[in-house]
Amino acid sequence: MGNPCVLVIPFPAQGHVIPLMELSQWLVKHGIRITFVNTDDKHKHVTDALAMKDGVGNQIHLVSVPQGPEFPEISGQLTEKLVEVVSCLRPRKVGELIEKINASDGDKITCILSDPILKWAMEIAVEKRIKPAAFYCASATQMLLRSGIQKLIDDGIVDEDDTAP
């Protein structure tokens, strides 16, 4: 068996793609093979940016999958519609990509590293018996706050409409 091979799947927004690409570049320097999955519309931006990197860019295998129906560019807002659109088409295409990679003579996918917004990526990992890992692109403080929202609702501090009772 060769080096570990990680399939990296960012949420298709700049604030998610860049941190996962930077982590991928670091992993490559430590002997881990990376296949970086991007949506068609973000693929050229990532390809162009990697071409400017010395010694690392050519070690990351870039692939793109269709994003789904067209939607307007969203500036700084993560909407439920965007999550819904991404969740419709990408899981099937990513599953097909994993099958294709694992059927080849090369290294098999040993880990799926994704944005935690993409719960389906973790489900695919579990289904295919591949180690799942999530990388939260925002601060640890934000992750802690988000994880405590349900407790605030359960304790009656805020209601489900995010207002104090």
Side-chain angles (χ1 to χ4, degrees):
M1 186 165 141
N3 289 340
C5 184
V6 177
L7 186 70
V8 179
I9 311 169
F11 184 81
Q14 184 175 355
H16 299 258
V17 173
I18 292 171
L20 274 162
M21 178 54 74
E22 289 175 353
L23 176 60
S24 296
Q25 292 168 347
W26 186 85
L27 291 171
V28 161
K29 289 178 184 176
H30 295 297
I32 296 173
R33 299 176 48 86
I34 300 291
T35 298
F36 196 90
V37 180
N38 226 336
T39 53
D40 291 338
D41 67 321
K42 302 285 185 243
H43 189 68
K44 179 163 176 33
H45 299 293
V46 172
T47 304
D48 291 348
L50 261 184
M52 294 182 244
K53 290 280 185 185
D54 291 330
V56 176
N58 61 355
Q59 297 177 43
I60 296 175
H61 181 208
L62 298 173
V63 295
S64 66
V65 295
Q67 182 165 289
E70 291 295 318
F71 59 89
E73 190 64 31
I74 297 172
S75 57
Q77 295 181 3
L78 177 64
T79 67
E80 289 182 29
K81 182 64 177 169
L82 179 55
V83 174
E84 179 184 325
V85 167
V86 169
S87 297
C88 287
L89 187 59
R90 284 183 80 199
R92 189 186 61 181
K93 292 295 184 184
V94 168
E96 291 169 3
L97 175 65
I98 293 168
E99 294 297 324
K100 181 179 175 185
I101 291 170
N102 286 348
S104 72
D105 291 335
D107 292 329
K108 310 297 183 231
I109 301 294
T110 56
C111 177
I112 294 178
L113 172 63
S114 79
D115 203 302
I117 294 172
L118 305 175
K119 293 179 181 146
W120 55 263
M122 298 295 101
E123 292 167 0
I124 289 173
V126 170
E127 171 189 314
K128 296 189 177 296
R129 294 191 167 113
I130 298 171
K131 292 178 183 173
F135 179 76
Y136 196 76
C137 300
S139 71
T141 303
Q142 185 186 52
M143 185 173 79
L144 181 63
L145 288 171
R146 284 182 177 228
S147 67
I149 290 173
Q150 188 60 50
K151 179 157 178 41
L152 293 173
I153 293 170
D154 293 345
D155 292 349
I157 296 170
V158 296
D159 61 22
E160 291 186 15
D161 296 326
D162 202 20
T163 57

